């Protein structure tokens, strides 16, 4: 009888405790510098995959990487999906519409590429959401080209954030010396890991299902 | 440390080990007697402890068996009482419905029989007799005519008169026959009506007889239960086990139905309580769906309880009829409302599925197609959402059977566990006893060398003693207060037997004796 009381009490206390946040927040950074704008349709496909995967209570944001990316002006769209699935579906439709319009309006690429600033912007957003799983998806060739006077050579703070580099295209110089490409990836990995984050590269879009650790089973 | 001890006697390990071995064997040889006693007494103590424990468990087992029997007989008695009560109610209904009209029926039958009798009397065949003078006239008319025309004419007239009288009589007879036939044909429907009434009465009596036979059968069972007969206890136990498995199977089906119901309403519940809300690690929408199903089952329990189909809650069973009917209406209303909610949730689920599918197609860049006959699964889901709560309500019946039967099954399982425990205890006790004997022999094997030496010494002493006895056979006997070697030897030889005898008389243990034999 005593054991039953203990078990009941434990269950009640467990039920009253603050649950661990189970939602996910994703920040997609889209490189709009130079010729990388030609790759935007791929970014659109990734966003569609994310919208189909994320669920009620999850958060998503899309921002462009340009000459100075640490700015709210670069955020194309952001949303935290409603608790009700029907409302969440409507929000997803609106989000997709925003992204489609952005892709249509981008014509020329930016002169410089501020990836660090964009990651900082993403980190700020993700930490504010208080989500259980936080992802920064960097859709870029990872070749940072900072504007004169911009300071970005300081350590990043990416505790608990998964950084995934997507579609890291090879530059012309990489073909001449592939070590540049490897060094570029290594450098970013080092910065992310030293900042407490988790680093991954996904170039094959056929494996998008492994992009983020979400439960993709359809409840319907 | 071990190495230091090993090399304590010599720097050469072999020599040191040999010294240790000699020391060890010597110590073991010197401690042989107490070591044997220690091993034997330990084995015996464990054996006795296990036997005592087995006896205690056997006592528990007997109590559990008795308890099971009491439970089974009590349940059987209660069930038989219900059967008998039900049979009497049926007989009462038959008597009230059919046999209450028996006086009227009896009168009808009597009247019908009386009418039949009268008609039958009236239909008796009585042919009309010819007039008395007719034979005289006929005799005269047959007299010889002898050629006299007057006489002949008179006789012919007389003959004509006779013939006409016969014809009249025949007509009268035919008329009366027709009347009789009419009466007899009127009897036929009366006979049929009478036969129908008698047949109906026979049926009623047959049904009553059948019910009476059933009552007799149940009464025989009841008497057997009251007399605490083994056969009826076994039959009830078997029946209880069957009930357990059947009701368990039905409950399993109900659980599956509950799962389907859960899947039907869990997802749309997110629209009501939020899709990302958690309570104790579980989705609140899932918990809400589960709670709705549980409430439906609870309402079903109360409804069947109010209808007196089940008897799980004595409080409801003891309510007065008015209150019980109110409760019936309330529980049915709640169940109906919940079924309606489920149907709407099922429809919402379908809508959400459609919306989600449309969104996915939109994200994939595929134009949405209007599927034909989409209304069929929608209606199917709604009907299922409405029906399942009522179907789940009936889970109370197998649940009651399961609970009642589980008492018996648990009792049987307890007895089985206790029996296994008894066997294990006895096995452990016997094993400990035999192991102690084996250890005694093992101990002696370790000190084989000194024991062999002792044996040789004893043989030498015996031989010397025998030669001395042979030499002194010719000398006079000398009485001595000191015990001789042979006396000591015989005492030593007798000691184990005496010890065994003491042990046996000090603590009689029939099981131990049986095992030793």
């Amino acid at each position: 009888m005593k054991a039953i009381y203990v078990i009941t009490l434990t269950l009640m206390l467990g039920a009253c405790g603050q649950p661990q946040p189970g939602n996910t927040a994703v920040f997609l950074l889209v490189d709009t510098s130079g010729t990388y704008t030609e790759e935007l349709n791929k970014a659109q496909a990734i966003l569609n995959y994310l919208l189909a995967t994320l669920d009620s209570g999850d958060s998503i944001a899309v921002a462009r990487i340009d000459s100075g990316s640490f700015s709210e002006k670069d955020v194309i769209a952001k949303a935290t999906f409603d608790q009700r699935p029907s409302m969440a579906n409507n929000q997803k439709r609106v989000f997709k519409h925003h992204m489609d319009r952005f892709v249509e309006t981008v014509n020329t690429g930016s002169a410089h590429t501020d990836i660090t600033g964009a990651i900082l912007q993403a980190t700020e957003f993700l930490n504010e959401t208080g989500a259980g799983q936080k992802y920064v998806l960097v859709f870029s060739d990872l070749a940072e080209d900072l504007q004169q006077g911009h300071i970005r050579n300081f350590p990043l703070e990416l505790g608990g954030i998964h950084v995934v580099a997507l579609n890291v295209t090879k530059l012309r110089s990489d073909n001449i010396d592939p070590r540049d490409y490897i060094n570029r990836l290594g450098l970013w990995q080092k910065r992310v890991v030293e900042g407490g984050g988790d680093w991954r590269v996904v170039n094959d879009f056929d494996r998008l299902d492994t992009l983020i650790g979400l439960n993709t089973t359809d409840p319907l | 440390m071990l190495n230091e001890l090993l090399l304590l006697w010599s720097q050469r390990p072999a020599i040191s080990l040999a010294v240790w071995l000699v020391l060890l064997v010597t110590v073991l040889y010197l401690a042989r007697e107490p070591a044997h006693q220690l091993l034997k007494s330990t084995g015996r103590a464990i054996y006795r402890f296990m036997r005592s424990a087995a006896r205690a468990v056997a006592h528990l087992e007997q109590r559990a068996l008795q308890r099971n029997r009491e439970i089974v007989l009590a349940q059987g008695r209660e069930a038989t009482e219900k059967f008998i009560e039900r049979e009497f109610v049926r007989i009462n209904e038959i008597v009230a419905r059919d046999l209450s009209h028996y006086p009227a029926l009896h009168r009808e039958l009597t009247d019908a029989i009386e009418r039949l009798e009268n008609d039958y009397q009236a239909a008796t065949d009585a042919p009309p007799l010819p007039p008395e003078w007719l034979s005289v006239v006929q005799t005269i008319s047959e007299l010889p005519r002898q050629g006299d025309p007057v006489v002949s004419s008179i006789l012919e007239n007389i003959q004509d008169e006779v013939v006409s009288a016969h014809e009249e009589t025949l007509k009268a007879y035919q008329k009366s026959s027709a009347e009789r036939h009419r009466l007899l044909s009127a009897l036929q429907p009366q006979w049929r009506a009478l036969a129908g009434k008698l047949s109906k009465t026979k049926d009623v009596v047959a049904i009553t007889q059948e019910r009476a036979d059933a009552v007799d059968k149940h009464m025989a069972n009841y008497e057997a239960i009251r007399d605490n007969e083994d056969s009826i206890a076994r039959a009830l136990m078997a029946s209880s086990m069957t009930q357990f498995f059947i009701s368990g199977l039905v409950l399993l089906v109900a659980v599956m139905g509950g799962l389907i119901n859960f899947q039907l309403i869990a997802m749309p519940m997110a629209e009501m309580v939020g899709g990302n809300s958690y309570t104790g690690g579980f989705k609140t929408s899932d918990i809400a769906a589960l709670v709705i199903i549980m409430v439906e089952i609870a309402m079903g329990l109360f409804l069947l309880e109010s209808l007196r189909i089940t008897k799980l809650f004595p409080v409801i069973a003891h309510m007065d009829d008015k209150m019980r009917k109110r409760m019936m209406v309330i529980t049915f209303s709640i169940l109906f409302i919940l079924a309606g909610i489920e149907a709407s949730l099922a429809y919402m689920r379908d809508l959400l599925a459609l919306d989600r599918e449309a969104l996915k197609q939109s994200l994939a860049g595929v134009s949405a197609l209007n599927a034909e006959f989409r209304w069929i699964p929608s209606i199917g889901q709604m009907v299922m959402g409405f029906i399942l709560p009522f179907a789940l309500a009936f889970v109370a019946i197998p649940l009651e059977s399961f609970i009642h039967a589980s008492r018996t099954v648990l009792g049987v399982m307890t007895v089985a566990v206790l029996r296994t425990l008894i066997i294990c205890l006895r096995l452990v006790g016997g094993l400990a006893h035999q192991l102690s004997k084996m250890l005694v022999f093992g101990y002696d094997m370790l000190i084989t060398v000194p024991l062999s030496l002792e044996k040789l010494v004893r043989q030498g002493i015996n031989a010397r003693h025998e030669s001395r006895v042979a030499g002194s056979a010719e000398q006079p006997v000398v009485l001595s207060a000191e015990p001789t070697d042979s006396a000591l030897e015989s005492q030593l030889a007798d000691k184990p037997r005496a010890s065994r005898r003491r042990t046996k008389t000090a603590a009689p243990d029939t099981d131990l004796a049986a095992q030793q034999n």
Side-chain angles (χ1 to χ4, degrees):
Chain A
M1 190 58 80
K2 197 175 176 181
I4 294 169
Y5 286 141
V6 171
I7 291 166
T8 313
L9 198 66
T10 312
L11 284 173
M12 286 171 74
L13 287 173
C16 295
Q18 185 70 24
Q20 199 171 350
N23 54 343
T24 305
V26 182
F27 204 109
L28 177 63
L29 298 170
V30 182
D31 195 341
T32 57
S33 63
T35 55
Y36 206 80
T37 49
E38 293 166 9
E39 305 282 329
L40 280 178
N41 55 344
K42 290 182 183 175
Q44 229 171 339
I46 291 167
L47 182 78
N48 287 343
Y49 163 75
L50 290 173
L51 289 175
T53 310
L54 294 174
D55 217 335
S56 299
D58 294 338
S59 303
I60 186 168
V62 180
R64 62 170 165 253
I65 300 171
D66 57 8
S67 301
S69 306
F70 189 62
S71 164
E72 279 80 11
K73 288 177 185 171
D74 288 325
V75 177
I76 300 160
K78 60 180 175 181
T80 296
F81 297 129
D82 197 88
Q83 297 287 334
R84 290 168 294 173
S86 56
M87 292 300 292
N89 286 350
N90 288 337
Q91 284 176 298
K92 286 175 184 178
R93 285 193 182 93
V94 172
F95 203 97
K96 182 181 183 301
H97 177 68
H98 278 297
M99 186 65 184
D100 291 348
R101 213 169 52 183
F102 166 72
V103 171
E104 283 169 10
T105 52
V106 171
N107 294 322
T108 52
S110 61
H112 300 276
T113 314
D114 178 15
I115 298 172
T116 309
I119 289 177
L120 286 172
Q121 177 75 22
T123 308
E124 201 176 39
F125 171 82
L126 293 175
N127 287 334
E128 275 178 18
T129 60
Q133 292 180 14
K134 292 173 265 191
Y135 291 88
V136 176
L137 308 182
V138 187
F139 187 77
S140 166
D141 54 13
L142 296 181
E144 193 164 47
D145 174 25
L146 293 172
Q147 212 171 348
Q148 189 72 31
H150 282 202
I151 299 163
R152 298 288 187 263
N153 56 348
F154 51 83
L156 299 168
E157 286 185 12
L158 299 166
I161 295 176
H162 306 278
V163 181
V164 185
L166 297 165
N167 194 41
V168 186
T169 52
K170 281 87 179 176
L171 304 174
R172 198 172 297 162
S173 58
D174 295 337
N175 203 11
I176 297 163
D177 187 357
R179 283 179 298 180
D180 287 351
Y181 177 77
I182 295 163
N183 288 340
R184 200 162 68 241
L185 285 177
L187 180 72
W188 275 108
Q189 181 172 7
K190 191 183 170 196
R191 285 190 78 184
V192 169
V193 172
E194 280 180 355
D198 173 51
W199 173 259
R200 203 147 53 94
V201 179
V202 177
N203 283 329
D204 184 4
F205 281 16
D206 289 337
R207 292 189 293 121
L208 275 181
D209 53 333
T210 61
L211 189 62
I212 51 178
L214 288 173
N215 183 14
T216 54
T217 52
D218 195 344
L220 297 174
Chain B
M1 181 68 183
L2 193 68
N3 283 338
E4 286 175 13
L5 277 174
L6 187 66
L7 301 174
L8 186 66
W9 307 108
S10 168
Q11 287 303 313
R12 297 177 68 180
I15 294 170
S16 189
L17 196 65
V19 172
W20 273 120
L21 196 64
V22 168
L23 279 173
L24 185 69
V25 168
T26 310
V27 170
L28 286 174
Y29 175 72
L30 292 173
R32 182 179 176 240
E33 195 67 24
H36 277 196
Q37 282 178 2
L38 178 72
L39 289 171
K40 283 177 185 173
S41 60
T42 307
R44 212 173 290 133
I46 292 172
Y47 176 77
R48 283 178 185 157
F49 176 76
M50 291 297 167
R51 297 296 295 189
S52 302
R55 271 196 291 275
V57 176
H59 182 65
L60 268 179
E61 183 210 352
Q62 286 304 316
R63 281 184 64 186
L65 272 172
Q66 184 63 28
R67 175 84 180 142
N68 283 352
R69 192 184 172 93
E70 283 169 7
I71 288 171
V72 164
L73 288 174
Q75 284 179 349
R77 195 181 300 122
E78 193 181 344
T80 314
E81 279 170 2
K82 276 184 193 170
F83 277 129
I84 292 169
E85 191 183 331
R86 180 70 195 142
E87 289 300 333
F88 274 122
V89 168
R90 280 177 186 163
I91 289 170
N92 186 43
E93 282 170 3
I94 290 166
V95 169
R97 191 183 61 220
D98 300 322
L99 294 182
S100 62
H101 308 300
Y102 185 73
L105 184 70
H106 182 76
R107 177 168 289 177
E108 281 176 22
L109 288 171
T110 312
D111 290 349
I113 289 166
E114 198 175 335
R115 272 200 306 277
L116 283 169
E117 200 173 338
N118 291 338
D119 288 348
Y120 179 73
Q121 289 295 332
T124 310
D125 188 8
L129 291 171
E132 290 293 329
W133 50 266
L134 204 61
S135 57
V136 179
V137 173
Q138 193 170 2
T139 310
I140 292 167
S141 69
E142 285 171 358
L143 286 173
R145 309 238 175 130
Q146 295 175 350
D148 188 353
V150 176
V151 173
S152 180
S153 169
I154 290 166
L155 288 176
E156 276 176 5
N157 286 338
I158 290 168
Q159 192 173 3
D160 289 344
E161 197 62 32
V162 168
V163 170
S164 67
H166 268 293
E167 281 176 355
E168 280 176 13
T169 306
L170 186 63
K171 278 180 184 172
Y173 181 68
Q174 281 174 341
K175 192 179 175 185
S176 83
S177 289
E179 182 63 18
R180 277 200 311 277
H181 284 158
R182 191 186 61 76
L183 287 170
L184 285 171
S185 62
L187 279 177
Q188 198 175 8
Q190 288 185 40
W191 275 116
R192 280 180 187 160
L194 190 65
K197 280 170 185 168
L198 284 172
S199 172
K200 197 177 168 188
T201 312
K202 185 190 168 190
D203 288 347
V204 171
V205 171
I207 292 169
T208 314
Q209 181 65 39
E210 197 181 313
R211 294 292 103 202
D213 289 344
V215 170
D216 284 347
K217 192 180 163 190
H218 290 310
M219 277 308 290
N221 278 344
Y222 188 76
E223 280 171 8
I225 292 168
R226 198 188 56 194
D227 295 342
N228 207 1
E229 284 180 12
D230 286 341
S231 59
I232 197 77
R234 278 197 298 275
L236 287 171
M237 186 78 79
S239 169
S240 196
M241 297 287 271
T242 312
Q243 278 296 310
F244 179 79
F245 286 110
I246 290 171
S247 55
L249 194 68
V250 178
L251 277 180
L252 194 68
V253 172
V255 168
M256 300 296 279
L259 280 175
I260 297 295
N261 203 0
F262 175 78
Q263 287 296 326
L264 208 60
I265 62 170
M267 205 269 281
M269 263 289 165
E271 281 289 315
M272 295 166 76
V273 295
N276 199 36
S277 169
Y278 285 82
T279 306
F282 297 99
K283 269 190 162 183
T284 310
S285 57
D286 289 352
I287 292 172
L290 206 62
V291 165
I292 282 190
I293 292 169
M294 292 296 174
V295 170
E296 283 166 0
I297 292 172
M299 287 303 122
L301 282 174
F302 294 148
L303 182 63
L304 293 189
E305 200 75 17
S306 311
L307 288 167
R308 290 197 171 155
I309 294 172
T310 56
K311 285 183 181 173
L312 285 168
F313 301 98
V315 178
I316 299 173
H318 296 154
M319 276 180 184
D320 61 287
D321 284 354
K322 197 175 174 184
M323 183 61 81
R324 201 166 49 77
K325 278 177 187 168
R326 275 183 195 166
M327 188 160 181
M328 204 188 305
V329 171
I330 290 167
T331 48
F332 183 77
S333 304
I334 294 173
L335 199 60
F336 191 83
I337 291 165
L338 286 172
I341 290 171
E342 275 211 17
S344 59
L345 283 173
Y347 183 63
M348 188 189 282
R349 180 185 187 278
D350 197 51
L351 290 181
L352 284 173
L354 274 175
D355 187 39
R356 195 178 178 113
E357 194 58 36
L359 176 70
K360 276 187 177 177
Q361 286 178 346
S362 156
L363 291 172
V366 182
S367 58
L369 292 170
N370 285 328
E372 285 185 27
F373 306 113
R374 192 64 190 79
W375 55 272
I376 294 175
S378 302
I379 289 176
Q381 287 185 46
M382 282 181 73
V383 170
M384 207 155 76
F386 191 79
I387 293 293
L388 276 174
F390 291 106
L392 282 177
F394 286 98
V395 81
I397 298 168
L399 183 69
E400 188 186 35
S401 297
F402 188 80
I403 289 168
H404 285 165
S406 61
R407 288 178 72 189
T408 313
V409 174
L410 279 174
V412 170
M413 283 169 69
T414 308
V415 169
V417 168
L418 290 175
R419 277 183 186 160
T420 312
L421 191 62
I422 290 167
I423 292 168
C424 289
L425 286 170
R426 285 185 177 166
L427 277 174
V428 170
L431 193 69
H433 187 62
Q434 294 301 326
L435 196 65
S436 71
K437 284 182 180 177
M438 285 166 67
L439 284 173
V440 167
F441 288 121
Y443 190 96
D444 283 353
M445 278 176 70
L446 287 174
I447 53 172
T448 307
V449 176
L451 281 178
S452 301
L453 287 173
E454 183 193 335
K455 193 178 174 184
L456 285 173
V457 170
R458 281 182 191 282
Q459 281 174 352
I461 290 169
N462 284 344
R464 199 164 57 211
H465 176 69
E466 280 169 7
S467 62
R468 195 182 296 168
V469 169
S472 64
E474 297 167 358
Q475 293 176 2
V477 176
V478 179
L479 292 171
S480 173
E482 294 292 322
T484 59
D485 289 340
S486 61
L488 279 170
E489 192 67 26
S490 65
Q491 276 180 8
L492 277 171
D494 288 343
K495 204 171 182 180
R497 273 183 288 175
S499 169
R500 275 202 296 275
R501 277 199 299 275
R502 274 200 302 276
T503 310
K504 205 169 177 179
T505 50
D509 192 332
T510 51
D511 296 326
L512 181 62
Q515 194 162 355
Q516 281 173 343
N517 288 334

